[in-house]
Amino acid sequence: MLTPATTDTLADLRAALPADTFRDDTAPYLTEPRGRWAGSGIVVAPRTTDQVAQIVRYCHERRIAVVPYGGGTGLVGGQLMGQGDVPLVLSLERMTAIRATYPSESVLVAEAGAILADVQKAAEDIGRMFPLSLASEGSARIGGLLSTNAGGVNVLRYGNARAQCLGLEVVRPDGSIWNGLSRLRKDNTGYDLRDLMIGAEGTLGIITAAALRLVPQPAAVGAAMLAVPSPAAALDLLALAQSRLGDGISAFEMIHRQGLDFLDEVGPAFKAPFAAHPEWMVLIDIGMPAGLAPDAALETLFEVAAEAGLVTDGVIARSGADRDALWHIRESIPEANRRIGSISSHDISLPLSLVPDFIVEGGKRLAQVGHFRINCFGHLGDGNLHYNVFPLLGEARSDHEDKRAAVKDCVHDLTHEMGGSVSAEHGVGRLKVGDLEKYGDPAKLAMMRAIKLALDPHGIMNPGAVLRTLTDD
Amino acid sequence: MLTPATTDTLADLRAALPADTFRDDTAPYLTEPRGRWAGSGIVVAPRTTDQVAQIVRYCHERRIAVVPYGGGTGLVGGQLMGQGDVPLVLSLERMTAIRATYPSESVLVAEAGAILADVQKAAEDIGRMFPLSLASEGSARIGGLLSTNAGGVNVLRYGNARAQCLGLEVVRPDGSIWNGLSRLRKDNTGYDLRDLMIGAEGTLGIITAAALRLVPQPAAVGAAMLAVPSPAAALDLLALAQSRLGDGISAFEMIHRQGLDFLDEVGPAFKAPFAAHPEWMVLIDIGMPAGLAPDAALETLFEVAAEAGLVTDGVIARSGADRDALWHIRESIPEANRRIGSISSHDISLPLSLVPDFIVEGGKRLAQVGHFRINCFGHLGDGNLHYNVFPLLGEARSDHEDKRAAVKDCVHDLTHEMGGSVSAEHGVGRLKVGDLEKYGDPAKLAMMRAIKLALDPHGIMNPGAVLRTLTDD
């Protein structure tokens, strides 16, 4: 049974912690990025791991809920308690230090509040690359990115957030500190608690710092936008590209004509890559070792692929500016989607070989729910589609409010039937708790509940995220 | 409180399961590979996941210990209960099927008993590569390799066993089955139980099958043996190689003159790469994309490195036979070590930049314990050293039996002081439970114990491995 945070809580904490720990303007912390709901809470922003521990210990003793808060960019409500007892929102925004860099180890240690773009910059400064890259990198923070196991555009080559982490410092739900900031590449001494904390969305403890692995900067990079006859051809193209260029392929993004049509309709402005928008395109990005010119490698790939009937047209970047222009298209699509206004958006993944079937079958099933425009795009190399459903031209999303649940169920049911996931990279948060219960393996759910209870017996850590709160059971 | 397995147990199980489930010759299952101790147990080898579940459920109800058994190649006693109540040893040797291959997804699903070499072959058969590679690949089984998060020579490029796994099928300690055989590259629905099971050494459940990710076969491969002036130069060479060839470097193995001297002394026979054995050598292995010749890339690397004073001599493989000959040297060193007979062997890892200091300081401290020969070699790219201590020429390991504990403590204490791990890739098993208690972070140990209790409340799964049994507490 939890206790709400009150003015007494605030008074206690004010007496124990520096004045600048507290945030009086709580509104920015209590609003969901898409404006779907609002939360409540007392907001604190400690400066050190010890202060985090002190606050959590206080809450543990009094059974007050703690909601860890990173950059606030999460799309599934993991950072926001919309209901239940008033929590303490613990923002990591003042713990932004890059504590250390180890160039010869290709490692840096960042505090949880470090913004992704700043971590990328710190890696560049020592001649390395931090490969995690995603739309919100200017505001998303390392703690949140790890807690949600964020994905992005470079997962194909470098893996998701999990793969970038060597060690963690974590404040446990009882306020004790796990000093797990290992810089080791290999360590088989005991259970893999690092990966358990990563992706736990703040429900098992608060990540306060991380040792991150960096990668070599590719000697040269390149990109091409290729028109493909179908999603199946896109997959064959991926296999062909991998057989030629190995893991030099950093990103393999599929784009549908609908995305370019939306850009034409509402912007942002872009330079059309082809005279007419093809039905399907692939944006391929590569990083090559010294001695191999990326544009030449892409040209040969294009020729071989064209001969095999896998591509019908192509634009190969001849400069950094060309490459940026191609990426600008891909990166503008989410903004165009927002301007159009989706009825329902889905972050799904599928076994790679089933992606083409999913697209056909999904279109058929949705046609039985209503008439929509579908913008299906995303990280094809990872089997991760952003499958978003929009009203027809001239209609508004509000015209379809009644169909929203049916659209979501239609897409999620099919995803589940085909062995896919209804949250590929965004996490569960509070938005998809029901989905997890509906589609999740019962044995897995039972283990998750047992672990939550074992590590957070009072259930104070981010209650209601990932798992329904125990008192709701 | 556990109950020993008895003739009644055997009678019960014989009545419920096919006759060929049972193994009357139990000796091979109850002997430690290095002959250090013997175990006891009834041995069963079920053929299906349902049979595994049935057996575990039976043991769960009666509180009988279950020891999962893979290829029996583990070096830390994880597969063998030397003391305590007689357990049921559950061998996965008859669950060897490759259940399915998915060439267009670069995925295959193997049962836990599949031998690593057979999985490598199945991947090759569909034009892919399963990159896990280690000395015991002809007998080690997938279930054991995952349960111990095995390493090997390709970790630098491809990661350890953990990184090769997309999904698991697991029989839980109560006999229920977690169907987690996902082929997805991205799935953020809930806690990462896959990675928790991987490396848990059979203490949280039994892995019965795994979905494994395959990688593209490199278009061309190459290797070189380079003489380096020091371990510090070897690390600089690694950084240089990575800046030029990126993640094309598959292996970066350090070899000390002592290893070649041992080969001269006791065999196996080998072709000396250099006129005189250099003090330190590096074996570098690369896989390159199409269009880049590995030997030319290595030649350029050698020239640049020589100019920077990082290498003093080198042999570049000009053929597959050349490459095999270089690898033969590396792979013969453990056998030579065995023939010499070590006083104490250590599988440690260190923060990469501290490896040179460790080697200097380790030598100094050991000299205070006694006079030894040290063969320090291993996966430098991962910071993983096999730091093995031998008697002087003309002495025997038995002459130093009394110093063995002191040698081990000396090496492990220094490793721990420098932020390293006393088990980089072999696991904890039963041999290093004390080390984990001595060196492990208390918060981590508390979490591990809580998780063990939550997932295996009767403590039947591989009791005494990783964590001391609860009844011993």
Side-chain angles (χ1 to χ4, degrees):
Chain A
M1 198 67 154
L2 294 174
T3 317
T6 62
T7 47
D8 285 353
T9 311
L10 198 54
D12 285 352
L13 291 172
R14 276 196 191 276
L17 290 158
D20 60 1
T21 306
F22 301 88
R23 291 287 170 279
D24 295 328
D25 179 12
T26 59
Y29 303 89
L30 304 175
T31 315
E32 204 270 332
R34 293 193 273 216
R36 292 203 179 156
W37 70 86
S40 63
I42 289 173
V43 181
V44 295
R47 196 179 280 285
T48 67
T49 302
D50 283 339
Q51 288 175 358
V52 174
Q54 192 181 345
I55 294 165
V56 171
R57 204 157 42 235
Y58 176 93
C59 291
H60 174 76
E61 284 162 5
R62 285 159 189 79
R63 316 285 192 265
I64 296 167
V66 178
V67 177
Y69 192 94
T73 59
L75 295 172
V76 289
Q79 71 276 46
L80 196 74
M81 243 174 96
Q83 50 190 356
D85 298 308
V86 177
L88 191 126
V89 176
L90 196 153
S91 169
L92 281 303
E93 69 195 66
R94 291 165 77 229
M95 292 182 60
T96 58
I98 305 294
R99 286 194 193 160
T101 57
Y102 302 89
S104 65
E105 297 179 13
S106 290
V107 172
L108 69 75
V109 176
E111 292 189 337
I115 286 175
L116 174 51
D118 295 333
V119 173
Q120 292 168 343
K121 177 71 172 48
E124 264 176 56
D125 289 347
I126 57 167
R128 300 290 185 278
M129 183 168 96
F130 184 64
L132 195 65
S133 174
L134 37 73
S136 60
E137 61 196 27
S139 43
R141 297 177 190 274
I142 286 297
L145 290 159
L146 289 170
S147 292
T148 58
N149 186 28
V153 295
N154 285 333
V155 175
L156 179 61
R157 178 167 192 166
Y158 297 107
N160 46 22
R162 182 185 307 290
Q164 320 311 326
C165 183
L166 296 173
L168 291 177
E169 179 187 86
V170 171
V171 172
R172 297 179 59 207
D174 64 0
S176 64
I177 297 169
W178 170 34
N179 294 299
L181 275 183
S182 160
R183 284 138 53 201
L184 303 175
R185 304 280 165 161
K186 275 178 167 177
D187 181 9
N188 276 351
T189 52
Y191 300 160
D192 182 9
L193 301 183
R194 177 190 66 201
D195 285 317
L196 185 64
M197 291 294 162
I198 295 172
E201 304 186 33
T203 62
L204 301 178
I206 300 180
I207 294 172
T208 50
L212 302 171
R213 72 152 194 158
L214 310 176
V215 298
Q217 293 175 334
V221 294
M225 183 84 80
L226 306 176
V228 293
S230 65
L235 280 177
D236 289 344
L237 176 64
L238 173 62
L240 176 69
Q242 286 179 323
S243 75
R244 295 189 59 81
L245 303 174
D247 35 20
I249 301 165
S250 315
F252 195 86
E253 299 283 308
M254 189 165 69
I255 297 171
H256 185 247
R257 183 191 40 73
Q258 188 66 67
L260 303 198
D261 288 349
F262 280 174
L263 287 169
D264 286 333
E265 198 178 321
V266 295
F270 74 109
K271 186 168 167 292
F274 303 102
H277 299 334
E279 185 76 5
W280 292 102
M281 287 146 279
V282 159
L283 174 59
I284 177 169
D285 198 88
I286 65 173
M288 289 287 112
L292 203 60
D295 57 344
L298 286 167
E299 205 156 310
T300 312
L301 174 65
F302 177 78
E303 283 162 17
V304 177
E307 217 159 284
L310 301 179
V311 297
T312 56
D313 203 349
V315 177
I316 295 171
R318 298 295 173 187
S319 66
D322 281 0
R323 180 168 172 252
D324 291 346
L326 295 178
W327 272 105
H328 172 71
I329 298 171
R330 167 63 183 86
E331 284 166 354
S332 299
I333 291 173
E335 175 57 23
N337 286 344
R338 264 187 292 275
R339 293 182 188 180
I340 297 282
S342 75
I343 299 166
S344 186
S345 298
H346 313 96
D347 163 42
I348 60 173
S349 65
L350 294 154
L352 222 52
S353 66
L354 300 183
V355 167
D357 289 351
F358 175 88
I359 292 172
V360 172
E361 183 65 18
K364 274 189 203 162
R365 290 205 192 174
L366 275 176
Q368 294 173 343
V369 180
H371 298 291
F372 309 111
R373 292 186 291 181
I374 298 167
N375 191 9
C376 167
F377 66 105
H379 318 299
L380 182 64
D382 314 315
N384 179 191
L385 301 178
H386 296 306
Y387 190 91
N388 298 351
V389 180
F390 297 86
L392 297 180
L393 187 62
E395 296 177 353
R397 64 192 294 182
S398 52
D399 299 336
H400 296 276
E401 207 52 56
D402 58 324
K403 295 209 188 83
R404 191 164 160 181
V407 167
K408 194 203 81 169
D409 287 347
C410 173
V411 174
H412 282 184
D413 284 352
L414 178 61
T415 302
H416 180 65
E417 281 170 35
M418 295 180 87
S421 165
V422 299
S423 183
E425 57 178 11
H426 293 170
V428 175
R430 291 176 172 83
L431 202 61
K432 294 188 180 175
V433 170
D435 289 301
L436 182 56
E437 290 172 349
K438 183 174 174 187
Y439 303 117
D441 179 87
K444 176 178 175 175
L445 282 163
M447 286 190 277
M448 285 175 56
R449 291 193 187 104
I451 290 169
K452 168 72 174 172
L453 201 62
L455 297 187
D456 179 19
H458 302 329
I460 65 164
M461 287 307 311
N462 212 5
V466 186
L467 294 169
R468 204 171 290 276
T469 52
L470 295 173
T471 47
D472 285 351
D473 273 347
Chain B
M1 198 64 154
L2 295 174
T3 316
T6 62
T7 48
D8 284 353
T9 312
L10 197 56
D12 284 352
L13 290 171
R14 277 196 190 275
L17 291 158
D20 60 2
T21 306
F22 301 88
R23 291 287 169 279
D24 295 328
D25 179 13
T26 59
Y29 303 89
L30 303 175
T31 315
E32 205 268 332
R34 293 192 274 216
R36 292 203 180 158
W37 70 86
S40 62
I42 289 173
V43 181
V44 294
R47 194 180 282 286
T48 67
T49 302
D50 283 340
Q51 288 175 358
V52 174
Q54 192 182 344
I55 294 165
V56 172
R57 202 156 44 235
Y58 175 93
C59 292
H60 173 76
E61 284 162 5
R62 285 159 189 79
R63 314 288 191 264
I64 297 168
V66 178
V67 177
Y69 192 94
T73 61
L75 295 172
V76 288
Q79 71 276 45
L80 196 71
M81 246 174 95
Q83 48 189 358
D85 299 307
V86 177
L88 191 125
V89 177
L90 196 153
S91 169
L92 281 304
E93 70 195 67
R94 291 165 77 229
M95 291 183 60
T96 59
I98 306 295
R99 284 195 194 159
T101 57
Y102 302 89
S104 65
E105 298 179 13
S106 289
V107 172
L108 68 74
V109 176
E111 291 188 340
I115 286 175
L116 175 51
D118 295 334
V119 172
Q120 292 169 342
K121 177 69 171 51
E124 263 176 56
D125 288 347
I126 57 167
R128 301 290 186 280
M129 182 167 94
F130 185 64
L132 195 65
S133 175
L134 37 74
S136 60
E137 61 196 27
S139 45
R141 299 178 190 273
I142 286 298
L145 290 159
L146 289 170
S147 292
T148 58
N149 187 29
V153 293
N154 286 332
V155 174
L156 180 61
R157 178 167 192 167
Y158 298 107
N160 46 20
R162 183 186 306 292
Q164 320 311 327
C165 182
L166 297 173
L168 290 177
E169 179 187 87
V170 171
V171 171
R172 298 178 57 206
D174 64 359
S176 64
I177 298 169
W178 170 34
N179 294 298
L181 275 182
S182 161
R183 284 138 52 201
L184 303 176
R185 303 280 165 160
K186 275 178 167 176
D187 180 10
N188 275 350
T189 51
Y191 300 160
D192 183 9
L193 302 184
R194 178 191 64 202
D195 285 318
L196 185 64
M197 291 293 162
I198 295 172
E201 306 187 33
T203 63
L204 301 178
I206 300 179
I207 294 171
T208 49
L212 302 170
R213 72 151 195 159
L214 310 176
V215 298
Q217 292 174 335
V221 294
M225 184 83 81
L226 306 177
V228 294
S230 66
L235 279 178
D236 289 344
L237 176 64
L238 174 62
L240 176 69
Q242 286 179 324
S243 76
R244 296 189 57 83
L245 302 174
D247 34 21
I249 301 163
S250 317
F252 196 86
E253 299 283 308
M254 189 164 70
I255 297 171
H256 185 248
R257 184 190 40 72
Q258 188 65 70
L260 303 198
D261 287 348
F262 280 174
L263 286 169
D264 286 333
E265 197 177 324
V266 295
F270 74 110
K271 187 169 166 292
F274 304 101
H277 300 333
E279 186 74 5
W280 292 103
M281 290 146 278
V282 158
L283 173 60
I284 177 169
D285 198 88
I286 64 172
M288 288 287 111
L292 203 60
D295 57 346
L298 287 167
E299 206 156 309
T300 313
L301 174 65
F302 176 77
E303 284 163 16
V304 177
E307 216 159 286
L310 301 179
V311 297
T312 55
D313 202 351
V315 176
I316 294 171
R318 298 295 173 188
S319 66
D322 281 0
R323 180 169 172 250
D324 290 347
L326 295 178
W327 272 104
H328 172 70
I329 298 171
R330 166 63 183 86
E331 284 166 355
S332 299
I333 292 173
E335 176 57 22
N337 286 344
R338 262 187 295 275
R339 293 182 187 178
I340 298 283
S342 76
I343 299 165
S344 186
S345 298
H346 313 97
D347 163 43
I348 61 173
S349 65
L350 294 154
L352 222 49
S353 65
L354 301 182
V355 167
D357 289 351
F358 175 88
I359 291 172
V360 172
E361 183 64 20
K364 275 190 206 161
R365 292 205 191 174
L366 274 176
Q368 294 173 344
V369 181
H371 298 290
F372 309 112
R373 291 185 292 180
I374 298 168
N375 190 9
C376 167
F377 66 105
H379 319 299
L380 182 64
D382 314 316
N384 179 190
L385 301 179
H386 295 308
Y387 191 91
N388 299 351
V389 180
F390 298 85
L392 297 180
L393 188 62
E395 297 177 351
R397 64 191 296 181
S398 51
D399 300 335
H400 297 275
E401 206 53 54
D402 57 326
K403 296 210 187 84
R404 191 164 160 177
V407 168
K408 195 202 81 169
D409 286 348
C410 173
V411 175
H412 282 184
D413 285 352
L414 179 60
T415 302
H416 179 65
E417 281 170 35
M418 297 182 85
S421 165
V422 298
S423 182
E425 56 178 12
H426 293 170
V428 176
R430 291 177 173 83
L431 202 60
K432 295 188 180 173
V433 170
D435 289 300
L436 181 57
E437 289 172 350
K438 181 174 176 188
Y439 303 117
D441 179 88
K444 176 178 175 177
L445 281 164
M447 286 191 277
M448 285 175 57
R449 292 194 186 104
I451 290 169
K452 168 73 176 174
L453 201 61
L455 298 187
D456 179 19
H458 303 330
I460 65 164
M461 287 307 311
N462 213 6
V466 186
L467 294 170
R468 204 171 290 275
T469 52
L470 295 172
T471 47
D472 284 352
D473 275 346

